[in-house]
Amino acid sequence: ASGAKGKTGTRAFMAIGALLGEQHAFMHDLESFFWVLFWICIHCDGPEESRVVDEFDQWNFISTDLLAKEKRGQVSHEGDFIRAAEKSFTPYYQPLIPWVNRLRKAVFPNGGRWEKEDGGLYVRMQQILQEAQRDPKVAEL
């Protein structure tokens, strides 16, 4: 723990539990990685171009409770997540949709927040990312 007296970090990347005031755990860091990748896929069209997407840009300004609710809604249902990704990910990052979805399923078991710490999550996330690197569509990026 950082010792900070309150919530710290970039709000759009914070884990749902951290937004709700939970004591920091390594699981929050792994979830934050998911949100950073999700954000990049929406706001960057390759390494040189970025854009503002109002629907997600508001994540920097809305209340932490509302942001937690928004994030839960983004990850709760696989079909909804894939449709939202197909609509929101930039063309450059469209090939990552199945891989980000696999990360979503690992980080949010059964479409919900984790209930207990999972010491194997880091390795599973790493394996998903390594498999993604071998995907010919992703290798072109």
Side-chain angles (χ1 to χ4, degrees):
S2 70
K5 302 280 189 214
K7 300 173 194 167
T8 61
T10 303
R11 295 164 45 101
F13 307 147
M14 290 176 72
I16 295 167
L19 290 166
L20 297 174
E22 290 178 0
Q23 180 70 32
H24 180 266
F26 77 92
M27 296 285 290
H28 292 124
D29 296 335
L30 296 175
E31 182 183 334
S32 289
F33 174 85
F34 170 85
W35 291 117
V36 168
L37 180 59
F38 181 78
W39 186 270
I40 290 169
C41 290
I42 292 169
H43 290 88
C44 299
D45 201 8
E48 301 296 325
E49 294 184 41
S50 64
R51 65 182 185 164
V52 174
V53 179
D54 291 337
E55 176 184 353
F56 296 100
D57 197 48
Q58 71 174 337
W59 286 13
N60 291 304
F61 309 106
I62 60 178
S63 72
T64 54
D65 287 339
L66 185 55
L67 179 53
K69 186 177 179 180
E70 289 278 327
K71 286 183 168 189
R72 281 193 303 263
Q74 284 294 323
V75 297
S76 65
H77 185 270
E78 183 171 24
D80 293 346
F81 178 81
I82 291 170
R83 277 187 293 283
E86 289 171 345
K87 176 184 160 220
S88 302
F89 280 25
T90 62
Y92 185 85
Y93 287 112
Q94 289 283 318
L96 288 182
I97 292 172
W99 301 105
V100 176
N101 183 50
R102 284 188 58 192
L103 284 173
R104 179 198 65 83
K105 290 192 288 188
V107 174
F108 303 98
N110 301 312
R113 295 192 316 120
W114 53 274
E115 305 267 332
K116 60 182 176 148
E117 291 186 359
D118 177 356
L121 180 59
Y122 173 78
V123 171
R124 287 195 311 282
M125 291 175 72
Q126 189 176 38
Q127 289 170 339
I128 292 166
L129 294 170
Q130 288 169 342
E131 288 178 48
Q133 287 179 308
R134 292 189 293 272
D135 181 338
K137 292 178 184 173
V138 173
E140 294 174 4
L141 298 179

